[in-house]
């Protein structure tokens, strides 16, 4: 096991500003391209990350710490953001993600007091018993998954344009 | 075809600062983890991006514009950075990448005068005839590939730690 609480927080703290640096001010073509019907563009990925900050990570951590294994985590709708995100610009979403992540990491540091807490258990509605360590590790890898998704979606836009280089660009080989 | 010269530059211009925001100051565990024997860690990826700025993109563009198809692009050693990068810190590499990318984009804007130039052709040592549009598109997708690689390498570190969530985290399914 490689998880370290402080190292996980350091990574989680960097994601919003990094994505803001990468995406803010980019033209529509980059922000709204996707991988075809039913796939997400970069702006929709940011909306999903915000939704997960609101409804997923902290509520699940709180349930785990308060209820232990006696009560499953609250449900999380992975598509909820598609209904609620139309009214804000990308820049507003990036700012909102930065703010809620900052505030959630403050909450996290208040909630988790020492390394022994990482072995505490809760109940995932599908997987059953999981540890706080597993949940926090997943929060980190979920960030990495979606940064990777954004780059893959954007690369897809130039699939034809790269011509014969396509065979050497590994990002064009994987699909969601 | 989706390539637009200005849009490509806007993306290329953002990569170094985004990676600096993401990686700078992270603990060793994140910077030096890799995917096993013979794979690159995040710092080695940055070194490779610098090496490509020095020896790949601009030299190839200059050869294409100066020589047309009469002379193949200069060779590029994709592993050269592994010999030359040991003497600098990650922070120095990130700063060097930012500076050389800035300077290379200035050169690029001087070299390419109008959209008709994008159809000019050069000779790739392996692929044969390629256009400037294909070469510039590849520069962009190469950035996206390596951002994605960095997130994948870092996610690998928590492969075991996420427990049962592993099956739902797509980044843990793809390998280089």
């Amino acid at each position: 096991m490689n998880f370290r609480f402080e190292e996980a927080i350091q990574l989680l703290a960097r994601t919003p500003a990094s994505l803001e640096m990468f995406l803010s001010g980019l033209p529509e073509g980059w922000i709204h391209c996707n991988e075809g019907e039913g796939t997400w563009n970069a702006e929709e990925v940011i909306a999903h990350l915000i939704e997960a900050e609101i409804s997923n990570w902290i509520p699940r951590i709180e349930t785990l710490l308060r209820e232990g294994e006696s009560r499953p985590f609250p449900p999380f709708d992975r598509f909820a953001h598609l209904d609620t995100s139309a009214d804000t610009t990308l820049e507003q979403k990036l700012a909102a993600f930065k703010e809620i992540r900052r505030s959630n990491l403050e909450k996290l540091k208040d909630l988790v007091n020492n390394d022994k807490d990482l072995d505490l258990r809760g109940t995932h509605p599908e997987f059953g018993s999981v540890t706080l360590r597993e949940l926090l590790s997943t929060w980190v890898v979920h960030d990495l998954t979606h940064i990777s998704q954004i780059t893959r979606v954007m690369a897809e836009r130039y699939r034809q344009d790269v011509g014969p280089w396509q065979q050497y660009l590994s990002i064009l080989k994987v699909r969601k």
Side-chain angles (χ1 to χ4, degrees), chain A:
Chain A
M1 294 295 174
N2 294 311
F3 181 85
R4 302 279 179 284
F5 186 70
E6 281 304 324
E7 291 184 357
I9 286 181
Q10 284 178 280
L11 195 151
L12 289 168
R14 281 165 169 76
T15 303
S18 306
L19 286 171
E20 186 177 51
M21 185 67 80
F22 193 54
L23 298 174
S24 182
L26 275 183
E28 287 280 303
W30 287 124
I31 299 307
H32 291 151
C33 61
N34 64 25
E35 296 170 296
E37 182 79 24
T39 65
W40 297 350
N41 63 38
E43 183 166 357
E44 287 166 334
V45 174
I46 304 299
H48 166 74
L49 289 168
I50 294 169
E51 187 64 29
E53 292 297 308
I54 298 169
S55 312
N56 191 348
W57 309 112
I58 293 291
R60 286 181 167 196
I61 293 162
E62 286 173 335
T63 302
L64 183 151
L65 293 172
R66 199 177 52 231
E67 312 278 350
E69 292 176 276
S70 68
R71 189 168 154 187
F73 298 149
F76 173 60
D77 177 357
R78 290 191 298 133
F79 301 97
H81 67 283
L82 298 177
D83 296 328
T84 57
S85 69
D87 298 338
T88 54
T89 65
L90 173 68
E91 271 64 28
Q92 289 170 325
K93 289 183 182 74
L94 290 164
F97 180 39
K98 212 156 67 162
E99 175 49 28
I100 193 168
R101 172 61 59 88
R102 192 199 57 70
S103 142
N104 278 347
L105 292 182
E106 287 306 308
K107 275 189 205 162
L108 178 65
K109 286 184 250 182
D110 286 342
L111 287 166
V112 178
N113 298 311
N114 61 59
D115 276 355
K116 276 202 295 195
D117 289 350
L118 300 173
D119 294 318
L120 294 173
R121 288 183 171 273
T123 297
H124 185 282
E126 183 186 343
F127 307 146
S129 181
V130 292
T131 64
L132 179 59
R133 181 182 289 102
E134 288 167 345
L135 178 54
L136 295 176
S137 301
T138 300
W139 192 356
V140 171
V141 178
H142 183 264
D143 270 20
L144 296 168
T145 289
H146 286 295
I147 297 170
S148 176
Q149 177 184 14
I150 286 171
T151 61
R152 190 189 68 219
V153 168
M154 291 166 78
E156 182 64 28
R157 184 162 181 244
Y158 279 0
R159 174 179 290 278
Q160 301 306 320
D161 300 75
V162 299
W165 273 282
Q166 190 177 319
Q167 60 193 296
Y168 283 126
L169 293 160
S170 61
I171 201 167
L172 296 176
K173 288 174 193 153
V174 296
R175 295 302 305 265
K176 75 192 165 69

